[in-house]
Amino acid sequence: YKRSLSEEESDFLISHLLENLERESKAIELILENIRNGSASPSKLNLALKKIARDWSDDMTSTMRAGVISRLHEMGLVDRKKNGTQVSYFLTKQGEKTLSELKARSK
């Protein structure tokens, strides 16, 4: 297999998350948008998450970011690029499509 979940499975999962987990869907949209805008490193994504979760400790923010990124990767929405010990993320075509759909829903 080239990926863990099919596109259909990913679409189902993202729909479920958006309809049932408000804070998770906000985190997904925030992370996708920040990656698209170039804030694609773990530390920059942690800073972005702090905007919607000010009550989280730094460790909790890192854990939540890692979890969301892992789910997005499994769903085929983001991919990783490593340069030595540094990692950055980028949106896939499906990630771009999903972010556009999220933006349309929030209008």
Side-chain angles (χ1 to χ4, degrees):
Y1 297 101
K2 292 183 180 179
R3 50 187 282 185
S4 301
L5 300 170
S6 70
E7 190 170 335
E8 182 179 274
E9 290 169 322
S10 294
D11 288 344
F12 172 81
L13 186 55
I14 197 79
S15 291
H16 174 76
L17 292 172
L18 297 177
E19 291 171 15
N20 297 293
L21 300 167
E22 183 181 342
R23 203 160 184 185
E24 175 87 2
S25 61
K26 285 181 182 179
I28 288 170
E29 183 175 356
L30 181 77
I31 286 177
L32 290 175
E33 188 165 10
N34 275 270
I35 291 171
R36 180 201 277 167
N37 293 336
S39 295
S41 69
S43 59
K44 288 180 180 177
L45 292 175
N46 284 353
L47 290 173
L49 276 176
K50 280 290 202 179
K51 293 176 184 174
I52 64 168
R54 290 185 172 99
D55 56 325
W56 290 352
S57 68
D58 290 343
D59 288 341
M60 186 173 185
T61 302
S62 291
T63 299
M64 296 305 285
R65 183 241 333 128
V68 172
I69 285 289
S70 292
R71 285 186 290 284
L72 294 175
H73 185 260
E74 291 292 316
M75 290 186 286
L77 305 181
V78 301
D79 210 345
R80 299 174 176 104
K81 190 183 322 176
K82 288 191 91 174
N83 183 12
T85 60
Q86 302 296 314
V87 65
S88 61
Y89 307 102
F90 61 93
L91 298 185
T92 63
K93 287 181 184 177
Q94 191 172 0
E96 290 282 355
K97 176 184 157 212
T98 299
L99 181 56
S100 294
E101 290 170 359
L102 287 169
K103 302 293 251 168
R105 281 186 187 199
S106 62
K107 286 184 179 182

